[in-house]
Amino acid sequence: MAQLDNFLIQLFHEGNCLEMYRVFGAHFEELDGQKGVRFTVYAPNARSVQVVGDFNQWNGENHYMEKYTDGGIYTLFIPKIKQYDTYKYRIETPNGSWVDRADPYAFFSELRPGTASKVYKIDGFRWADKRWLNKRTKNFDRVLNIYEANIGSWKMKKDFTDEEDGEYYSYEEMIDQIIPYVVENGFSHIELMPLTEFPFDGSWGYQATGYFSATSRYGNPKQLMAFINACHKNNIGVIMDFVPAHFVKDGHGLHQFDGGFVYEYPDINLRYTEWDSCYFDLGREEVRSFLMSSVHFWANYFHVDGIRFDAISNLIYWKGNKERGVNDGAIEFMKRMNSHMNGLFPGVMLIAEDSTDYPNVTTAPQSGGLGFDYKWDLGWMNDTLAYFKKDPIYRQYPDVHNKLTFSMMYFYRENYILPFSHDEVVHSKGTILDKMWGNNDQKFAQCKSLYLYMMTHPGKKLNFMGNELAEYKEWDEKKALGWVLLKFPQHDSFHRYFHDLNHLILKHPALYQYDYYPEGFEWLVVDDMKQSVFAYARYAPDGEVLVCVMNFVGNTHHGYRIPVPVAGTYKEIINTDTDYYTGSNLTNKRAIKSQKIHAVNKENSILVDIAPFSSMIFELKRK
């Protein structure tokens, strides 16, 4: 009888194992002087299990697996198996029928439409990022400016058409494509849409089958490691999108894996999602160990710097519906997972995409929270975009005006990231530029002001690829971004503006060090509803003061009085209306000395000129 790691198996059944991928799956080993592969699978409802593959002409009669324990674990050593050999588990279900399933713990998979697993030696990559790993943190007091990307459609060798498949760049080829671009444009991190193997391109990875298998669309796992290693050598962090709520129903995957309900809820009323997929049964200990092991695997083997957890609202509440009540099993899972991960990988960020008002999402479990480091501020995103869609004539009314002030009423309850993600530029929602009110010129002017507001508002930032190009077309996973837009002056100048704004953040600690401290932000003009002018100050621990001014209507203001927190000279360091960004060039070219004239609740103020739909930042120049 084979000898497996019984300690890990015990933890697996207790729901506390983060390294079950060391037991399950296909692992090279030597037995009785023969080299081969040990296959191990969890199939508690199976009558029997075979290993089938190329090596036995998909006939498993001679490769029945041994039942290792009464806990439903099966294992078999097969000699002479080679790297990249394809395989599946052929499982005899409780009713005596047979089903073929891909390995839930496989390290590599066939390229779709193939569905088999592939034997792969995951160890042995030579990393060169020790310096990066030693200095990385959760980034609470550092710049966290995320570029969300779909690695396949950022650039493509050939777009997909109705007649022909497209052609992707590989993980390694993307090293020379996207990494220099991200560095040049001042982003700190790349967030990759899900790379756990998935069968349908149109799911974008959000309906996965292989939770330990980097998608074969772009190459093999070590090529992805090379990509991440190159990111780290260029001081770019990598965040991976991860889907803990649900999985795809495709017949080769986890759905009714062994004829019973191993990964999903037995109760049909809890089992299926609105996306026609299956919810993970997060009250089941073995499922908790499966998902925690997957999270650990990506942090351990791929050195990812953060994990963004999708659809957390569907974990907090049954089917994401607050009226159905809290899912206590999923709450316990999140607390347990985050506690383990924070202890084992203290520099890896744990990010919740959560649309609910459930409290203490970013509070430590020992203090009653869920234990995430960050939460997406989807309320801010929805309110902000709703404001910019409105005709400016309506922005003077409280119900619209307050959409831009409400975020600071609750902001310090959680550690928020402000997101304009892929979800906002698909499904006929229009692009960010398209959401702006007005004609083309007005849209561009407001979009620039929108981004100055976003980038100076407290909180870390995330933008989906293409936002920086002021795309007209919604994102399509079958087509590359509209790089041709950069031939047009308005798009080129917007791209240049986005670049400059990102680099400005890097230079000014007031825009990131105190993001989650109330002393880092102060409203200066908040109630000028009639003119829709806003102003606030951002502060840094070293005494840096920035004053941000925004005009969200089409009126020009000459000599608008802005209260300032400190007497001194204020120099404009960026203005959306400069001709460099195809504006009218109504800017404040000279440094402005404050006057001891009371404005709002400040003793000192400055007079500034403000163009229609323009925004600007002033820096206090100290002697």
Side-chain angles (χ1 to χ4, degrees):
M1 176 59 102
Q3 184 59 48
L4 303 179
D5 191 323
N6 290 322
F7 177 65
L8 289 182
I9 290 172
Q10 179 183 339
L11 291 179
F12 171 71
H13 290 304
E14 293 172 355
N16 277 306
C17 188
L18 278 78
E19 298 181 73
M20 210 56 208
Y21 55 85
R22 300 192 186 281
V23 175
F24 292 137
H27 295 269
F28 287 96
E29 68 173 56
E30 187 171 321
L31 183 66
D32 297 331
Q34 283 193 301
K35 292 182 178 179
V37 169
R38 175 165 297 284
F39 298 90
T40 307
V41 67
Y42 177 61
N45 302 294
R47 286 187 181 181
S48 63
V49 184
Q50 303 170 357
V51 182
V52 296
D54 291 338
F55 43 84
N56 61 14
Q57 290 73 54
W58 298 91
N59 183 339
E61 290 295 326
N62 295 321
H63 288 124
Y64 273 91
M65 303 182 80
E66 303 170 353
K67 194 167 187 179
Y68 184 73
T69 64
D70 292 334
I73 295 174
Y74 292 81
T75 189
L76 178 68
F77 174 82
I78 304 178
K80 300 180 181 178
I81 299 289
K82 305 183 300 297
Q83 174 131 290
Y84 299 118
D85 278 355
T86 56
Y87 70 99
K88 285 186 177 181
Y89 297 116
R90 183 160 291 164
I91 300 171
E92 185 182 7
T93 68
N95 65 12
S97 61
W98 291 86
V99 294
D100 286 0
R101 299 286 190 249
D103 187 348
Y105 288 82
F107 296 139
F108 197 36
S109 306
E110 268 192 310
L111 178 63
R112 51 91 178 99
T115 58
S117 302
K118 283 179 174 283
V119 174
Y120 190 80
K121 184 174 176 58
I122 197 70
D123 295 295
F125 181 79
R126 297 185 65 179
W127 289 91
D129 64 347
K130 188 174 181 179
R131 182 179 297 179
W132 168 268
L133 296 181
N134 286 341
K135 72 176 184 180
R136 73 179 178 184
T137 71
K138 302 279 193 182
N139 297 293
F140 295 129
D141 61 350
R142 295 182 181 182
V143 173
L144 181 54
N145 189 3
I146 303 165
Y147 189 64
E148 184 192 20
N150 175 269
I151 200 168
S153 62
W154 185 77
K155 278 186 180 177
M156 299 180 74
K157 292 181 177 179
K158 186 175 72 172
D159 285 351
F160 286 78
T161 67
D162 292 338
E163 293 77 32
E164 289 186 319
D165 280 351
E167 188 178 353
Y168 298 121
Y169 286 97
S170 71
Y171 293 118
E172 284 188 311
E173 288 171 328
M174 287 299 287
I175 289 172
D176 295 327
Q177 297 282 338
I178 198 171
I179 295 176
Y181 180 84
V182 168
V183 171
E184 168 61 24
N185 284 281
F187 294 99
S188 66
H189 289 69
I190 299 175
E191 180 174 310
L192 301 173
M193 289 172 71
L195 295 177
T196 45
E197 190 60 84
F198 56 102
F200 176 49
D201 290 359
S203 78
W204 312 328
Y206 291 99
Q207 293 195 17
T209 50
Y211 274 74
F212 298 82
S213 179
T215 179
S216 52
R217 285 166 176 79
Y218 319 120
N220 65 50
K222 290 200 171 94
Q223 288 177 309
L224 175 56
M225 293 176 192
F227 174 82
I228 296 172
N229 191 54
C231 285
H232 290 169
K233 289 170 74 173
N234 285 276
N235 293 313
I236 296 296
V238 177
I239 299 167
M240 179 179 167
D241 215 336
F242 186 82
V243 187
H246 64 117
F247 57 89
V248 74
K249 285 167 55 180
D250 289 43
H252 67 285
L254 303 178
H255 182 39
Q256 295 184 28
F257 181 73
D258 58 5
F261 303 109
V262 180
Y263 294 93
E264 64 270 68
Y265 290 103
D267 185 344
I268 193 171
N269 297 306
L270 303 176
R271 189 181 311 148
Y272 298 112
T273 74
E274 61 189 283
W275 307 290
D276 195 31
S277 54
C278 291
Y279 281 114
F280 279 109
D281 181 353
L282 292 173
R284 186 182 174 95
E285 301 294 8
E286 291 83 1
V287 174
R288 292 170 173 175
S289 289
F290 171 78
L291 286 170
M292 290 193 299
S293 292
S294 178
V295 172
H296 184 282
F297 173 77
W298 292 99
N300 185 31
Y301 270 102
F302 288 85
H303 292 198
V304 297
D305 306 289
I307 297 172
R308 178 264 194 188
F309 295 88
D310 180 66
I312 289 300
S313 59
N314 290 71
L315 271 66
I316 293 174
Y317 298 113
W318 291 105
K319 296 202 168 189
N321 186 344
K322 191 174 183 177
E323 294 180 2
R324 286 177 172 260
V326 171
N327 182 339
D328 291 326
I331 295 291
E332 171 59 26
F333 161 72
M334 288 185 280
K335 290 181 176 181
R336 193 180 300 180
M337 174 187 69
N338 290 335
S339 293
H340 283 308
M341 287 298 295
N342 276 314
L344 294 166
F345 298 97
V348 171
M349 298 173 288
L350 306 171
I351 303 167
E353 188 250 335
D354 172 27
S355 58
T356 74
D357 58 359
Y358 187 85
N360 301 318
V361 172
T362 58
T363 300
Q366 56 266 36
S367 300
L370 296 185
F372 291 99
D373 299 306
Y374 293 100
K375 170 178 172 169
W376 277 21
D377 193 347
L378 295 169
W380 173 90
M381 179 274 296
N382 284 316
D383 285 347
T384 299
L385 294 179
Y387 179 93
F388 278 90
K389 288 177 184 177
K390 288 286 188 183
D391 186 318
I393 198 170
Y394 299 113
R395 294 177 186 174
Q396 64 183 303
Y397 297 114
D399 62 324
V400 179
H401 180 91
N402 292 341
K403 287 185 181 299
L404 287 198
T405 63
F406 180 62
S407 61
M408 294 311 300
M409 299 287 288
Y410 64 79
F411 188 79
Y412 298 108
R413 296 176 189 171
E414 305 278 6
N415 298 329
Y416 284 112
I417 290 175
L418 310 184
F420 287 148
S421 73
H422 69 274
D423 273 333
E424 311 322 312
V425 296
V426 292
H427 300 319
S428 302
K429 293 180 183 177
T431 64
I432 300 299
L433 178 70
D434 219 21
K435 296 179 197 297
M436 303 296 104
W437 171 90
N439 62 33
N440 192 64
D441 290 344
Q442 291 167 327
K443 285 179 183 290
F444 270 94
Q446 288 174 95
C447 205
K448 285 182 281 188
S449 280
L450 163 69
Y451 273 109
L452 190 138
Y453 166 63
M454 177 194 199
M455 294 299 182
T456 58
H457 189 289
K460 308 309 180 184
K461 316 299 189 293
L462 177 142
N463 269 283
F464 184 57
M465 64 183 198
N467 290 0
E468 78 281 11
L469 305 177
E471 282 268 26
Y472 284 122
K473 68 178 180 68
E474 292 181 335
W475 173 59
D476 181 347
E477 79 278 359
K478 295 181 178 180
K479 292 179 171 59
L481 295 183
W483 297 105
V484 70
L485 290 172
L486 295 179
K487 294 181 178 179
F488 300 94
Q490 271 191 318
H491 292 273
D492 182 55
S493 65
F494 184 88
H495 187 242
R496 193 161 58 240
Y497 165 72
F498 210 106
H499 165 281
D500 293 352
L501 194 55
N502 281 352
H503 281 274
L504 187 130
I505 295 172
L506 296 172
K507 295 177 184 176
H508 293 281
L511 296 177
Y512 61 85
Q513 280 194 331
Y514 267 173
D515 271 335
Y516 303 112
Y517 294 88
E519 51 265 49
F521 173 90
E522 183 183 14
W523 279 114
L524 301 174
V525 178
V526 67
D527 292 325
D528 189 356
M529 296 187 190
K530 192 171 183 180
Q531 300 182 96
S532 296
V533 172
F534 298 81
Y536 46 76
R538 294 296 311 271
Y539 303 106
D542 67 358
E544 181 183 46
V545 178
L546 299 180
V547 172
C548 310
V549 180
M550 286 141 283
N551 173 25
F552 293 139
V553 294
N555 298 332
T556 301
H557 302 288
H558 291 284
Y560 188 102
R561 189 167 294 280
I562 300 288
V564 291
V566 181
T569 300
Y570 288 81
K571 180 173 176 57
E572 188 178 84
I573 56 175
I574 193 168
N575 190 315
T576 62
D577 195 57
T578 179
D579 54 4
Y580 187 61
Y581 306 135
T582 60
S584 68
N585 217 31
L586 178 58
T587 62
N588 300 275
K589 297 177 178 60
R590 295 183 179 180
I592 304 170
K593 189 173 183 180
S594 66
Q595 299 171 305
K596 197 170 180 59
I597 296 177
H598 189 276
V600 191
N601 61 348
K602 296 296 182 185
E603 294 300 317
N604 298 281
S605 57
I606 58 176
L607 290 176
V608 303
D609 293 333
I610 312 175
F613 297 119
S614 72
S615 297
M616 60 218 69
I617 303 174
F618 295 90
E619 180 184 10
L620 172 64
K621 292 296 184 182
R622 297 185 183 275
K623 293 181 181 178

